[in-house]
Amino acid sequence: MAKTRGHAERHRTERIGWLRAAVLGANDGIVSTASLLVGVAAASASQGSLLLTGVAGLVAGAMSMAAGEYVSVHSQADTEQADLARERSELERDPAAEQRELSGIYVQRGLDPSLARQVAEQLMAHDALGAHARDELGISVALSARPVQAALASAASFAVGAALPLVVTTLAPMDVLIHWIAGSSLLFLALLGAAAARAGGASALLGAWRVTFWGALAMAITAGVGSLFGATL
């Protein structure tokens, strides 16, 4: 008799939590640091001042990204826990009504009413709260909020992204520094956008174009302001 073999599947939705934070952090690290350096360079600052400004921007930005991600994602986690607590209370108070609610959800999704009632009954017998969390509230293990993971991924990726234009600032000649920072940063952004899009199953070309456009716009505006006012930003 042939044995039925199970197979493990890896879905891209499992990457959403850390991928979003990592891409956001790296993108912000490149764009904000490169824009800062370009703006300061346009104001005729020395190379030493540029490096000091860039390092300060890297440290401050990484800490800001970590704190912002932790607070925002923790707020999402708090909301999820509050909804789960309310659902748990409703299940204890009136399980029959909750079962009818769940079967109604399955009917709306296309199941026959009798089959929907059977599915709701069996799922609630197995894990009532899990069934309602997934199918009523839209909370799943893969998409649940993880504040610490998001904060660490965002801070680390920001630092890596910010380090790239800093390395260019260290190596490039001062007379063409703005062009080197801008050009290399746009290249880094294009590679990041393409890689992130591929990891998420989207078009690499579209992902590269999207982040490159906004990065170029940010650097152009910052350079214009630095040149216009002749002051560090």
Side-chain angles (χ1 to χ4, degrees):
M1 181 181 296
K3 294 183 179 180
T4 302
R5 295 184 178 180
H7 67 284
E9 293 184 352
R10 296 182 62 85
H11 298 284
R12 291 185 172 93
T13 52
E14 297 174 358
R15 309 171 182 171
I16 287 179
W18 65 263
L19 181 61
R20 182 193 65 84
V23 171
L24 178 63
N27 182 80
D28 278 3
I30 297 172
V31 172
S32 62
T33 306
S35 298
L36 183 67
L37 292 171
V38 167
V40 174
S44 302
S46 66
Q47 197 161 10
S49 296
L50 287 173
L51 289 173
L52 181 61
T53 300
V55 171
L58 184 155
V59 175
M63 294 302 98
S64 177
M65 289 294 293
E69 279 291 331
Y70 183 83
V71 170
S72 63
V73 177
H74 211 297
S75 296
Q76 177 187 340
D78 290 342
T79 301
E80 290 177 356
Q81 292 303 314
D83 282 343
L84 289 174
R86 178 179 179 181
E87 197 64 34
R88 187 181 294 108
S89 175
E90 292 175 350
L91 284 167
E92 293 174 354
R93 186 171 60 251
D94 194 350
E98 291 301 302
Q99 183 174 317
R100 290 193 298 271
E101 182 181 26
L102 193 60
S103 64
I105 292 173
Y106 298 144
V107 169
Q108 291 178 356
R109 293 181 181 178
L111 291 185
D112 179 83
S114 61
L115 179 58
R117 285 193 296 271
Q118 294 178 31
V119 172
E121 180 181 354
Q122 292 184 27
L123 287 178
M124 287 187 63
H126 174 68
D127 182 5
L129 183 60
H132 280 269
R134 180 180 60 254
D135 295 322
E136 180 184 349
L137 303 177
I139 299 174
S140 67
V141 175
L143 302 179
S144 60
R146 296 180 176 86
V148 175
Q149 180 193 63
L152 293 176
S154 185
S157 58
F158 183 97
V160 171
L164 296 175
L166 272 175
V167 171
V168 174
T169 302
T170 304
L171 301 177
M174 191 62 191
D175 55 338
V176 291
L177 187 58
I178 292 179
H179 302 88
W180 273 86
I181 294 174
S184 62
S185 297
L186 291 177
L187 175 61
F188 297 147
L189 285 172
L191 294 175
L192 172 66
R198 290 275 299 186
S203 167
L205 183 60
L206 181 60
W209 162 250
R210 189 163 45 212
V211 296
T212 303
F213 170 78
W214 289 107
L217 182 63
M219 282 184 277
I221 293 174
T222 312
V225 173
S227 179
L228 179 64
F229 291 98
T232 56
L233 302 180

